Amino acid sequence: METYDIAITDPAHVAGITAAREAYNAALPALAESEEGAQPLVTNEEYVQFVMARAAESYARQYGTE
């Protein structure tokens, strides 16, 4: 496991992350069927972790490193 630190300093970017997290949470009822165990993401930190984990999963598939 590796840990990465990021800094989002632009208020507009933070607002965008918040809006994306809220949209994800709003879509959870529809996602429940395809993403078993999907839970609301309460903080932006949780959302960014979720997004980056999904990106890393996609990279592993794309580059055959799974």
Side-chain angles (χ1 to χ4, degrees):
M1 180 177 116
E2 293 190 25
T3 300
Y4 300 93
D5 293 317
I6 64 163
I8 310 286
T9 57
D10 187 316
H13 297 174
V14 174
I17 291 169
T18 301
R21 177 178 52 81
E22 290 171 350
Y24 170 82
N25 287 338
L28 276 178
L31 292 174
E33 293 177 20
S34 62
E35 295 190 31
E36 186 177 325
Q39 297 292 318
L41 300 170
V42 178
T43 67
N44 285 351
E45 181 179 5
E46 290 175 337
Y47 183 74
V48 171
Q49 175 62 42
F50 169 77
V51 169
M52 291 310 304
R54 289 290 181 93
E57 180 183 344
S58 175
Y59 300 153
R61 279 195 310 271
Q62 181 177 354
Y63 296 106
T65 62
E66 289 186 317

